[in-house]
Amino acid sequence: QVQLVESGGGSVQAGGSLRLSCAASGSPSSDYGMGWFRQAPGKEREGVATISRGIPYTSYSDSVKGRFAVSRDDAKNTVYLQMDSLKPEDTATYYCAADVGSWYRLRQLKASDYTYWGQGTQVTVSS
């Protein structure tokens, strides 16, 4: 069973950048497809980006495509989310998630397909 801890959140002005990290422990991150989700107050949890285990395929939501980039360093058991050109609507709590399921399923970025979750890190973008 893997444990996930996010870091790197904070406050930034619109147009700025942040890099989130998700550190995995208890089990090698290389065993898991890894996803990033976010949830704003009063809204449903939204899939943002995901990266497969093995050959690193990636998938993004339309709302962040071209601005966010997900990557992984399995030697460090860490997954990253580089967020550029941030907008106020990106304000949310960001969660890291993991699952051993197929890429075909995980790339759809449905929260219900991911088993393991971190506690989240807050990102606030001001205009």
Side-chain angles (χ1 to χ4, degrees):
Q1 184 168 340
V2 65
Q3 291 82 45
L4 305 172
V5 178
E6 304 93 336
S7 62
S11 297
V12 64
Q13 289 191 328
S17 298
L18 284 173
R19 188 175 81 154
L20 305 183
S21 299
C22 173
S25 62
S27 187
S29 62
S30 57
D31 289 347
Y32 300 89
M34 304 291 288
W36 285 97
F37 292 77
R38 66 186 182 187
Q39 188 166 20
K43 295 189 176 181
E44 292 188 358
R45 192 164 295 191
E46 172 193 16
V48 173
T50 184
I51 186 166
S52 66
R53 54 185 172 176
I55 297 174
Y57 299 111
T58 59
S59 180
Y60 299 91
S61 67
D62 289 342
S63 60
V64 307
K65 199 171 294 182
R67 300 188 297 121
F68 289 13
V70 59
S71 61
R72 64 190 302 156
D73 184 345
D74 289 329
K76 297 182 179 179
N77 282 318
T78 303
V79 176
Y80 304 97
L81 184 67
Q82 177 67 42
M83 306 187 295
D84 298 322
S85 302
L86 282 161
K87 304 176 181 180
E89 51 263 44
D90 295 319
T91 295
T93 300
Y94 283 72
Y95 298 90
C96 176
D99 199 88
V100 297
S102 69
W103 174 240
Y104 175 80
R105 180 163 59 91
L106 297 182
R107 72 182 182 182
Q108 298 179 60
L109 282 169
K110 294 179 180 178
S112 58
D113 287 333
Y114 289 77
T115 302
Y116 305 101
W117 291 84
Q119 294 301 306
T121 186
Q122 178 66 36
V123 171
T124 302
V125 185
S126 58
S127 57

